[in-house]
Amino acid sequence: MVTIVAIDGNGVAIVAVDGNGVALIAVNSLVPKVIDVKEAGPGGACSARKVFGMSQRFASLSLIALTAVAISACATKKKDLPPPPPVVGTVVPQTTAPVDNGSVPPPAMVGTTVIPGSAADFVAQAGADHVLFGYDSYELDEDARTILGKQAEWLARYPAVKVTVEGHADERGTREYNLALGDRRATAAKNFLAAQGVDTGRMSVISYGKERPAVDGADEAAWAQNRRAVTVVAAKP
Amino acid sequence: MFMRTLSLAFLALSLTPAQAVIRVDINSGIAQPLPIAVPGFVATAPGTTEAGSTADLGVRIAQVIANDLKSSGLFRPLDPAAYTTQVTPDDVMRPQYAAWRTVAAQALVTGNVTVNADGGLTIGCYAYDVFSAEELARQGFVTTAAGWRRAAHKCADLVYSRLTGETGYFDSRIVYVSETGPRTRRIKRLAVMDQDGAGHRFLTQGQNLVLTPRFAPNQQTLTYMSFEGNRPRVWLYTLGSGRQEAIGDFPNMSFAPRFSPDGSNLVFSMSVGGNTDIYRMDLGSRKLTRLTTQPGIDTAPSYSPDGSRIVFESDRGGTQQLYVMAADGSGQQRISFGEGRAATPVWSPRGDLIAFTRLGGGRFSIGVMKPDGSGERLLTNAYQDEGPTWSPNGRVILFFRSARGGPVNLWSVDLSGQNERRVATPLDGSDPAWSPLLP
């Protein structure tokens, strides 16, 4: 049974696997996700790291699936450990794109283990925890406004939850300017959420400039992913 | 008598007397570096210090001097293996000019090392014109044993200064950000080292993201930006004690700090609701004064060396460009034009130029322009050359270069655009700042 037992301050969901292992899944950042699987049992350290890209819309599903892969990979190397438990849980699938793609039926719902009100739930329900921007722009396009609108709906359902909106820039600007640009982006996202009724007292902004790219790359595809504002659900007090 | 001819573009600044002999023309990028011999300094008597024996120190001092001179691109130290001339204690002050002429050394640096009663050292430094058989300069340094490197740098500064007419810059330090780890989770630490890379040490341990360290004029304090507690703010670091202190409990991000030339004020940016302006803080009273009020991003402020003006970048006109204002914020005027953007301006310690980053065509270059915006010259061109800082004498510019998808390192380039070279650091490096000459 995979159960999310806690969300830490970095928006990292901690998934308890069994008595032997703990999988850490970063759920607050963008594709590609980094998954760390750390063995906590007495058999010694076993760690596997997977970096994978995926489309946002299936992020939640992939997350669980890859957790299973990572755990299996780890377990196969440690023959003295019991086999990993089967992964039976999944999350509510979400689609953020307009429903114009009849060829892909929505996956069946098999019950959820995502804790309502958690960061994982936020990502699942809003479709994404982040919105993207054009080069040197802090304008929210239609996709961004759609996602932020869903984020605002979720935040309306969980009025006790606080968020930090992180602003980021791609590498094609100077350091100081990009810090200011990241602030502009985070502020634009925050202001939109506020306009949708989210109390500004629940939101703080922080800019990382070009210091924390989501993707390590130096081409347009990477830059596009790195120009972003991420809504990070704060850890519960 | 051989006399190296010179083009005295900086005659007014020249310290050279009328009977001057060899000269190194620092403005000519194509000149051949001057062949110079720097044989090991002579131990006047066998002696030992906590830094090693005088004989050993004599060799190491000469190596430090030769390395300094070579790094300037203006000198070509001869390989000691290429000559057999032995320097006796008497030769230090009466060189065998004929022997040095045969190996085509045009200048010669000799010196001696003596242990003092207190365990410290006296280091004598002498410079000669080999072909005119004349002494150019001499200076003695009394130091602790551990201070031998600084004495060597000061000797190199003496030689550089005597042969170029410019102040030296070798006895100085560099603070920068050491980088390691994947770029999505980069670990950044403040680090400081001598100008030649010696004495490297980390000042922070990487728990917090740190950026843009800058020296105070007294070099005992740094200002920098830290994300400690997920609250990006301007901090001060006291080098002697290691004490770290946020300059204020601002609710908004503060960043891009620099000291005023007298050390009494900081200028930096603060972002409030997506709008970034430049502020000045009096470090005595901690009083904050807002210097810019225009909507837009105003950042990267840097004082003129006389403290009367501040150059900064602003996108108020649409894209990043350089502006100059009086230190009180009045008279803001755009100075950069031309293609692309101009960013991260830094006023030269001589006051005559402003170094900056030019962005255009998907590349970043390091350039210089006069404070009125005229005379722009680009010195480098690469995927990303960013964040210039000046040598204490305003002749060399240090910056950081990011290869596309690759490492980021410190580099330096002469004001002439020549002598572009990598500055070695243990890990990747960025955000360098050069100290003034040490006292």
Side-chain angles (χ1 to χ4, degrees):
Chain A
M1 183 67 181
V2 174
T3 311
I4 295 180
V5 295
I7 311 290
D8 74 11
N10 297 318
V12 174
I14 298 168
V15 185
V17 177
D18 62 14
N20 292 317
V22 175
L24 301 180
I25 304 172
V27 296
N28 69 326
S29 56
L30 293 177
V31 290
K33 300 286 184 184
V34 176
I35 287 192
D36 275 358
V37 179
K38 292 178 184 165
E39 200 69 48
C46 165
S47 130
R49 172 165 296 160
K50 290 205 167 274
V51 180
F52 57 95
M54 57 187 165
S55 76
Q56 259 166 241
R57 56 202 294 194
F58 298 123
S60 306
L61 284 170
S62 309
L63 187 138
I64 296 302
L66 271 138
T67 302
V69 170
I71 291 163
S72 306
C74 180
T76 53
K77 289 181 200 150
K78 303 288 293 179
K79 293 203 166 75
D80 51 333
L81 292 173
V87 176
V88 295
T90 184
V91 296
V92 180
Q94 292 291 318
T95 48
T96 59
V99 222
D100 61 354
N101 191 347
S103 63
V104 180
M109 296 191 191
V110 202
T112 176
T113 58
V114 172
I115 296 173
S118 68
D121 185 45
F122 174 71
V123 175
Q125 301 294 324
D129 58 358
H130 64 277
V131 295
L132 303 179
F133 296 87
Y135 172 67
D136 194 22
S137 168
Y138 56 105
E139 193 179 323
L140 297 165
D141 64 14
E142 198 174 321
D143 288 351
R145 292 196 298 271
T146 303
I147 291 168
L148 289 170
K150 290 187 177 184
Q151 291 184 357
E153 286 171 23
W154 187 91
L155 289 167
R157 285 203 297 282
Y158 301 99
V161 175
K162 293 191 172 185
V163 296
T164 298
V165 185
E166 297 178 351
H168 299 269
D170 71 26
E171 68 181 8
R172 294 174 303 161
T174 45
R175 186 163 334 280
E176 296 89 341
Y177 181 86
N178 276 2
L179 286 167
L181 178 59
D183 186 74
R184 276 180 168 169
R185 288 175 174 159
T187 301
K190 176 195 164 185
N191 288 348
F192 187 91
L193 292 171
Q196 304 299 305
V198 181
D199 183 355
T200 53
R202 298 168 62 193
M203 299 185 285
S204 58
V205 299
I206 186 170
S207 172
Y208 286 96
K210 59 178 173 181
E211 308 306 318
R212 287 286 178 266
V215 178
D216 182 1
D219 54 20
E220 183 49 50
W223 295 327
Q225 293 295 318
N226 293 337
R227 296 187 298 260
R228 68 202 195 278
V230 187
T231 308
V232 180
V233 173
K236 285 187 181 152
Chain B
M1 178 180 95
F2 175 84
M3 183 180 289
R4 190 181 170 88
T5 49
L6 26 139
S7 96
L8 288 170
F10 278 99
L11 190 59
L13 296 169
S14 168
L15 306 169
T16 312
Q19 70 276 21
V21 279
I22 47 170
R23 269 294 284 244
V24 175
D25 175 13
I26 54 173
N27 296 304
S28 167
I30 52 168
Q32 288 295 314
L34 183 85
I36 188 168
V38 191
F41 279 26
V42 176
T44 48
T48 303
T49 72
E50 61 186 30
S53 74
T54 48
D56 181 42
L57 281 172
V59 172
R60 288 152 76 192
I61 288 166
Q63 286 169 345
V64 168
I65 295 167
N67 183 52
D68 280 350
L69 295 173
K70 183 183 179 191
S71 71
S72 73
L74 302 173
F75 299 89
R76 182 171 59 82
L78 302 182
D79 181 355
Y83 51 77
T84 54
T85 310
Q86 293 296 311
V87 181
T88 68
D90 281 349
D91 293 342
V92 170
M93 280 177 276
R94 282 180 293 279
Q96 302 172 35
Y97 290 114
W100 294 112
R101 282 181 201 127
T102 62
V103 293
Q106 293 192 24
L108 170 69
V109 180
T110 64
N112 46 34
V113 188
T114 310
V115 183
N116 301 333
D118 64 358
L121 294 167
T122 298
I123 296 169
C125 166
Y126 304 81
Y128 301 96
D129 179 335
V130 170
F131 284 82
S132 69
E134 284 182 55
E135 180 178 314
L136 296 172
R138 68 165 70 185
Q139 207 160 5
F141 305 100
V142 178
T143 173
T144 59
W148 68 269
R149 277 189 158 274
R150 285 203 53 201
H153 290 312
K154 283 190 176 296
C155 179
D157 278 332
L158 178 72
V159 174
Y160 176 96
S161 167
R162 187 63 180 77
L163 287 172
T164 66
E166 300 276 326
T167 314
Y169 63 90
F170 301 122
D171 186 26
S172 58
R173 285 188 291 178
I174 292 165
V175 65
Y176 75 102
V177 171
S178 175
E179 301 191 11
T180 187
R183 284 203 255 181
T184 53
R185 289 170 298 165
R186 200 73 160 155
I187 291 169
K188 295 196 170 192
R189 288 180 281 181
L190 298 185
V192 68
M193 62 186 182
D194 294 349
Q195 154 278 136
D196 64 348
H200 186 281
R201 68 187 172 106
F202 293 106
L203 302 176
T204 61
Q205 297 315 309
Q207 312 93 316
N208 300 306
L209 179 61
V210 289
L211 301 171
T212 63
R214 315 293 182 203
F215 277 105
N218 70 8
Q219 307 163 37
Q220 299 309 303
T221 312
L222 305 172
T223 184
Y224 64 105
M225 182 202 192
S226 170
F227 279 70
E228 176 162 316
N230 286 325
R231 299 178 65 198
R233 285 181 294 173
V234 172
W235 285 66
L236 296 173
Y237 187 108
T238 308
L239 280 167
S241 63
R243 183 174 171 220
Q244 297 167 49
E245 173 202 4
I247 61 161
D249 194 19
F250 310 125
N252 304 100
M253 172 171 71
S254 53
F255 62 107
R258 278 186 200 275
F259 284 93
S260 63
D262 66 0
S264 65
N265 285 273
L266 284 183
V267 278
F268 55 87
S269 279
M270 192 146 65
S271 295
V272 180
N275 181 38
T276 297
D277 280 306
I278 293 170
Y279 293 73
R280 179 182 71 231
M281 175 181 267
D282 182 309
L283 286 170
S285 66
R286 298 290 161 114
K287 181 171 166 277
L288 204 59
T289 306
R290 185 173 171 182
L291 299 181
T292 66
T293 54
Q294 294 244 359
I297 294 174
D298 295 334
T299 189
S302 168
Y303 274 96
S304 62
D306 67 359
S308 68
R309 287 181 288 171
I310 294 170
V311 63
F312 63 102
E313 64 169 79
S314 174
D315 72 343
R316 63 184 63 173
T319 61
Q320 283 169 285
Q321 299 294 344
L322 307 189
Y323 291 71
V324 169
M325 61 183 170
D328 65 0
S330 65
Q332 300 180 16
Q333 207 168 11
R334 178 172 166 177
I335 62 162
S336 72
F337 298 90
E339 273 182 48
R341 305 168 181 220
T344 74
V346 189
W347 218 302
S348 157
R350 301 163 61 116
D352 56 345
L353 291 170
I354 288 164
F356 66 101
T357 305
R358 179 157 290 290
L359 293 74
R363 294 168 80 79
F364 295 11
S365 298
I366 301 300
V368 294
M369 66 173 66
K370 292 180 184 167
D372 65 2
S374 67
E376 175 174 334
R377 284 190 295 130
L378 296 185
L379 305 180
T380 74
N381 185 1
Y383 177 60
Q384 286 189 352
D385 285 350
E386 183 182 344
T389 180
W390 291 91
S391 65
N393 67 352
R395 284 299 316 180
V396 183
I397 292 172
L398 189 62
F399 58 97
F400 66 99
R401 169 170 291 176
S402 310
R404 185 165 185 165
V408 52
N409 289 114
L410 305 188
W411 285 70
S412 70
V413 65
D414 191 83
L415 191 49
S416 67
Q418 304 291 316
N419 196 36
E420 189 176 292
R421 56 172 56 218
R422 161 114 185 260
V423 176
T425 49
L427 303 165
D428 277 11
S430 62
D431 289 1
W434 211 319
S435 80
L437 268 187
L438 297 174

